[in-house]
Amino acid sequence: MENFVWYNPVKLHFGDGVTDKIGKVTAEFGKRVLLVTGKGSAKASGAYEQVVTRLQNEGLTITEYSGIKSNPIVEDVDKAAALGKEKKIDVIVALGGGSVIDSAKTISLAMKYDGPAWDIVTGDYKPKDSTPLIAVLTLAATGTEMNSVAVVQNNCKQQKIGFGNKYMYPRHSFLDPSYTFSVPKNYTAYGVVDLIAHSLEAWFGEGDATLSDRFIIAIIKEAMKNGPDLLEDLENYDLRAKIMYAATCALNGLTSNGKKSGDWGVHGIGHSLSVVYDVPHGASLSIAYPAWMKLQKDRIPERIQELGKALFEISEVDDIIYKLEYIFKALGSPVRLKDINLKIEEGNTRERLKNAMVVSKVDGVVHKLTQQDYETLLDLMA
Ligand code: NZQ
Ligand code: ZN
């Protein structure tokens, strides 16, 4: 087992009605609030009205930046950070899914920097301070509510980059499972895929940490058990709660302690699909993971077998990959590019995807990918 430091300062408020405290909690950081939201789901679901009313009841002044898109773009971060500086914002409240919260995390750093936010995303500038951030999660998937990572896209450069900074941890995260009732079936499924994928990225990392491995298996089993039931009963509070907590635990450090690192190669491949064709994150992973496992099956058969034994009590590598693919498919998430109407040999699809992988130097931390591997992966994903 590797040495590790587990630092996670996020105060998580989990359960029905937890945002009743958001006004008081936010007021501790100051009076002027920048409220960051997405395209409209929070208004439609009623979460927006509830949160805004609770902030206003504490006498807080709200400036709003809305319209953050899924697979968020750096232009919005720059605009919102400029607005935040102009209004002398004290605290940011992010109300939405991973795209809104990741944007707000980056805004919280960009408000302390005079240059473009992309410098922060690429690591060319390393901020040492941030505007306090409070997250209200409306979609269970990414784990962003309890980690210090954000993923932002730059369409001009054709890059989608995940980066970490310890000043990006939300000070508080509010997770009311009933706020996720309105998430449609497809995004609910993508969220389940994403949390399984985070667990797998840790599984295929490096280091002998058996307890972390057991957490990984438990989280995936929780998703396999409750994910399909939830898709049949989208407003079931208990199922929403179980999936929400599983998604948080899949990327808050729990599954990586004692390991040198996770792999994250599959996320790199998924980000390339998202940056070129705006594929929803979870959907990109249900396409990329089976392909990646097929690529790796002769390189790391034992690790795939251990996974299969722990999850399905089977040890034939091909069967294990098929089973995982079947799980994604049964959730209604695509497993091939053709499932999202992308034909790899039509037009310049292959070239564009390969180029995005090359530009982003898509690679795993542990299981290194070559340019020949990119070609093989594209064939396997087709
Ligand atoms: O924009 P609005 O109107 O809010 O609609 C969103 C969006 O269309 C909608 N939605 C959110 N909450 C809803 C809802 N619809 C109905 N009811 C609700 N309660 O769902 C759509 C997708 O939202 P988005 O935030 O994009 O999804 P998700 O939470 O999956 O976030 C995906 C982003 O997070 C990044 C991904 O790469 C992607 O950019 N990730 C962030 C990570 C992190 N920070 O740790 C790790 C992940 O691996 C991932 O890379
Ligand atoms: Zn992910």
Side-chain angles (χ1 to χ4, degrees):
M1 207 163 135
E2 301 293 324
N3 292 359
F4 66 92
V5 174
W6 194 11
Y7 170 75
N8 195 319
V10 178
K11 190 158 182 178
L12 204 76
H13 306 251
F14 189 100
D16 192 19
V18 285
T19 64
D20 61 358
K21 294 188 193 66
I22 195 169
K24 277 200 168 46
V25 166
T26 307
E28 287 170 19
F29 298 94
K31 272 216 159 314
R32 291 175 297 257
V33 178
L34 179 67
L35 178 65
V36 182
T37 60
K39 297 264 182 208
S41 72
K43 280 194 178 152
S45 72
Y48 174 92
E49 200 191 327
Q50 209 168 74
V51 168
V52 165
T53 305
R54 287 170 179 171
L55 296 174
Q56 284 170 339
N57 286 346
E58 287 300 315
L60 302 176
T61 317
I62 301 173
T63 300
E64 208 173 312
Y65 191 94
S66 61
I68 297 292
K69 74 172 282 302
S70 186
N71 294 325
I73 50 172
V74 72
E75 286 86 346
D76 277 319
V77 172
D78 279 323
K79 285 185 202 157
L83 181 66
K85 286 179 200 165
E86 181 199 325
K87 300 286 180 185
K88 299 189 172 23
I89 290 301
D90 300 309
V91 50
I92 302 171
V93 173
L95 171 62
S99 296
V100 166
I101 296 175
D102 283 5
S103 299
K105 282 176 164 178
T106 317
I107 295 162
S108 78
L109 297 177
M111 278 178 59
K112 303 286 181 182
Y113 176 52
D114 286 332
W118 193 245
D119 290 352
I120 300 173
V121 178
T122 56
D124 289 339
Y125 176 74
K126 297 199 188 323
K128 305 236 166 347
D129 195 9
S130 63
T131 302
L133 168 67
I134 291 171
V136 185
L137 185 68
T138 64
L139 196 167
T142 62
T144 187
E145 63 274 12
M146 203 176 181
N147 69 37
S148 58
V149 173
V151 187
V152 178
Q153 188 160 310
N154 185 322
N155 289 341
C156 300
K157 296 195 185 297
Q158 287 283 283
Q159 283 181 301
K160 185 177 189 196
I161 298 181
F163 71 106
N165 182 303
K166 69 178 179 184
Y167 300 101
M168 279 197 305
Y169 282 106
R171 305 294 176 97
H172 294 260
S173 277
F174 290 87
L175 276 62
D176 183 335
S178 68
Y179 281 14
T180 67
F181 282 173
S182 52
V183 178
K185 215 168 176 173
N186 58 352
Y187 274 99
T188 302
Y190 304 152
V192 175
V193 172
D194 196 19
L195 84 89
I196 292 175
H198 295 159
S199 308
L200 292 175
E201 296 282 17
W203 180 267
F204 289 111
E206 187 180 357
D208 175 26
T210 48
L211 183 57
S212 291
D213 279 351
R214 286 177 200 274
F215 286 141
I216 289 168
I217 297 301
I219 291 168
I220 299 177
K221 283 189 170 175
E222 187 77 352
M224 283 174 8
K225 165 95 180 63
N226 298 301
D229 292 349
L230 174 56
L231 291 179
E232 298 307 315
D233 194 3
L234 293 174
E235 297 199 8
N236 182 312
Y237 178 86
D238 282 327
L239 293 172
R240 285 288 188 192
K242 284 174 180 169
I243 291 297
M244 199 172 206
Y245 185 46
T248 301
C249 290
L251 203 51
N252 69 354
L254 186 69
T255 59
S256 306
N257 292 330
K259 290 175 188 273
K260 237 182 199 153
S261 71
D263 186 65
W264 299 102
V266 174
H267 268 68
I269 302 162
H271 292 339
S272 299
L273 298 182
S274 295
V275 81
V276 182
Y277 291 108
D278 211 13
V279 179
H281 178 61
S284 76
L285 299 172
S286 55
I287 295 169
Y289 239 114
W292 182 90
M293 284 174 78
K294 285 171 196 164
L295 176 77
Q296 303 293 351
K297 70 176 184 174
D298 296 327
R299 302 176 184 171
I300 48 167
E302 294 85 7
R303 195 62 181 147
I304 298 176
Q305 281 169 329
E306 284 171 35
L307 179 76
K309 279 186 213 148
L311 284 179
F312 316 124
E313 293 174 11
I314 56 175
S315 51
E316 189 57 50
V317 170
D318 288 326
D319 293 347
I320 295 161
I321 299 170
Y322 175 79
K323 185 99 186 173
L324 198 72
E325 188 172 300
Y326 178 80
I327 287 168
F328 292 153
K329 213 168 169 171
L331 288 167
S333 203
V335 292
R336 292 287 185 284
L337 292 171
K338 63 176 157 42
D339 298 342
I340 51 170
N341 296 320
L342 276 180
K343 307 238 175 12
I344 196 86
E345 302 306 350
E346 251 177 44
N348 55 4
T349 307
R350 175 183 283 273
E351 196 185 317
R352 289 188 71 192
L353 286 173
K354 169 115 191 260
N355 184 51
M357 290 161 92
V358 171
V359 168
S360 296
K361 300 190 187 81
V362 166
D363 205 359
V365 177
V366 184
H367 307 291
K368 297 292 174 194
L369 297 171
T370 63
Q371 293 216 16
Q372 179 51 48
D373 288 339
Y374 296 169
E375 297 285 358
T376 310
L377 284 163
L378 288 170
D379 291 330
L380 291 167
M381 289 192 291

